Amino acid sequence: AAIWLTQSFNVAVSSTTQTVFETGALYTLSVIPLFTLMGNLVTRAGLSKELYAAAYGFFGHRPGGLATSTILACAGFGAICGSSLATAATMARVALPEMEARGYKPGLATASIAAGGTLGILIPPSVIMVLYGLMTDTSIAALFAAGVIPGLVATAFYIGAVRWTTWRDPSSGPAGERIGWSGRIAALREVWRVVLLFVVVLGGIYGGLFTPTEAAGIGAFGAFVIALARRDMSFSDYVDILIDSARTSAMIFAVLTGALIFANYVNFTSMSSDLSGIVESYRIHPLAVIFVMVAIYVVLGCLLESISMIVLTVPVFYPIVQSLGFDLVWFGILVVVVTEISLITPPVGMNVFVLRAFTPHVSTGVIFRGLTPFIVADFVRITLLILVPAITLILPQWLKLLR
């Protein structure tokens, strides 16, 4: 309708039909259903329990150790899942009963799962990165590489938030029993499948063995083999996984198609050039523009869920960022990080509402209060990523993935 009003009915119909057809026929988009399938297979196969057990073996005996183990398990699970909501929901089933049984206060227990769940969209592979890459014509392999170090930094900051919480209130996260080295080694033996899948998928991309699209196919096949080897799922479980993957993929395709149509509308107007002109006429410092964009994302994150934010803002923002001379890979990681923050900020923190389904006895206010140190850590982290772009770009530069 907007294209019709600004151009003509024929242009609107032609532009829209062409976008729908080209989006559906785009080979590189097969990465979305394949990574979605890989994530669903890994989730149903129960690998999250093995990751949690391995992390607990090394950190469970420390104050807040279960919460720290949860964040590390979320990071590992997010590396092969790619969905924050799925990571939060899965770890809620695995970690929350353990923390409640050991006397953890509800605020820290739920906050560590909600915050750790956000790592699912930052540590590659990530569907959000794929969407951003397709909308801005940015290398998906470069985005995946750029997300690795910020993902590790995010994990460290969240562990710091746990330590700060238990330092202020030791009773919020009592220490568990110490596990000997024999138990730790036994737990590590159980996670070799996860490590192997992660190394094959990302190592193959960065080693030049296959493209991100081919990596998605190999990852989905590897997850299927792992699920078969565990022998604890029925035929109906596999059917449910395929149906759920198809539904999720259809939703993402519909959203992406709408986003690209909206991007066409932005291109038909002079919005991007007008905004760039305003920035130039007022001689606003480029970094100030980036901070303003981040502030807009933070505000939108209080009202919208992550995909909606990206659909509405990226077509408008990325031409301005490009005109200011910033790297689109670096900006893409900033967008993903701010999207992470939106998953745990009130009033529409999607990870919090996922947790509420598993913790009806814990109020939403308690969860948000527990998340306060994690949100503060997020703001410190995104400021660091803005001021020190090398954190984001050093790995893709080393791998020679930047144009």
Side-chain angles (χ1 to χ4, degrees), residues 3 11-27 29 250 252-264:
I3 296 172
V11 171
V13 171
S14 174
S15 172
T16 301
T17 53
Q18 183 178 358
T19 300
V20 171
F21 175 78
E22 289 180 351
T23 304
L26 196 61
Y27 169 71
L29 271 181
I252 293 173
F253 268 72
V255 169
L256 179 60
T257 303
L260 294 174
I261 293 171
F262 177 66
N264 284 341

Side-chain angles (χ1 to χ4, degrees), residues 84-85 88-89 92 96 106-107 110-118 301 340-360 362-372 374-375:
S84 287
L85 298 182
L96 194 59
T110 54
S112 61
I113 297 171
T118 65
E340 278 187 288
I341 298 174
S342 74
L343 292 169
I344 56 175
T345 51
V348 189
M350 294 299 291
N351 277 13
V352 173
F353 289 102
V354 167
L355 270 176
R356 288 284 288 118
F358 297 93
T359 57
V362 181
S363 70
T364 305
V366 168
I367 300 176
F368 278 127
R369 282 194 294 273
L371 279 166
T372 300
F374 295 90
I375 295 172

Side-chain angles (χ1 to χ4, degrees), residues 103-350:
Y104 271 60
K105 288 189 175 179
L108 178 59
T110 54
S112 61
I113 297 171
T118 65
L119 299 172
I121 63 171
L122 179 58
I123 298 178
S126 165
V127 172
I128 296 290
M129 289 184 190
V130 173
L131 290 177
Y132 174 87
L134 293 169
M135 291 174 67
T136 60
D137 193 28
T138 303
S139 167
I140 294 172
L143 286 167
F144 281 2
V148 173
I149 295 178
L152 296 176
V153 171
T155 304
F157 271 58
Y158 284 160
I159 291 174
V162 170
R163 296 300 298 271
W164 186 84
T165 302
T166 54
W167 174 74
R168 285 198 64 202
D169 181 10
S171 64
S172 63
E177 69 273 11
R178 180 183 292 272
I179 294 178
W181 277 104
S182 59
R184 294 175 180 178
I185 293 171
L188 285 176
R189 288 198 194 105
E190 296 297 320
V191 301
W192 69 268
R193 301 178 187 88
V194 179
V195 175
L196 179 63
L197 187 61
F198 180 75
V199 169
V200 168
V201 171
L202 292 186
I205 294 174
Y206 305 146
L209 298 178
F210 36 74
T211 66
T213 307
E214 293 164 345
I218 291 169
F221 178 74
F224 177 62
V225 170
I226 290 173
L228 282 178
R230 293 176 68 88
R231 299 181 180 179
D232 56 359
M233 288 198 297
S234 64
F235 178 77
S236 61
D237 290 328
Y238 289 104
V239 173
D240 289 340
I241 288 171
L242 290 173
I243 292 173
D244 185 57
S245 299
R247 283 179 179 150
T248 303
S249 300
M251 179 273 291
I252 293 173
F253 268 72
V255 169
L256 179 60
T257 303
L260 294 174
I261 293 171
F262 177 66
N264 284 341
Y265 164 69
V266 172
N267 291 333
F268 280 128
T269 68
S270 60
M271 183 187 300
S272 297
S273 58
D274 289 346
L275 290 173
S276 298
I278 291 172
V279 171
E280 291 175 5
S281 64
Y282 284 96
R283 297 181 181 178
I284 303 172
H285 194 283
L287 277 181
V289 177
I290 297 297
F291 275 109
V292 170
M293 289 181 179
V294 167
I296 291 171
Y297 274 115
V298 170
V299 173
L300 288 177
C302 296
L303 306 170
L304 300 173
E305 50 83 34
S306 55
I307 293 180
S308 299
M309 286 170 53
I310 289 176
V311 168
L312 289 172
T313 59
V314 167
V316 178
F317 284 169
Y318 95 86
I320 302 172
V321 172
Q322 200 168 30
S323 69
L324 292 173
F326 290 111
D327 192 290
L328 287 181
V329 171
W330 169 77
F331 182 68
I333 299 303
L334 288 187
V335 170
V336 173
V337 171
V338 182
T339 301
E340 278 187 288
I341 298 174
S342 74
L343 292 169
I344 56 175
T345 51
V348 189
M350 294 299 291

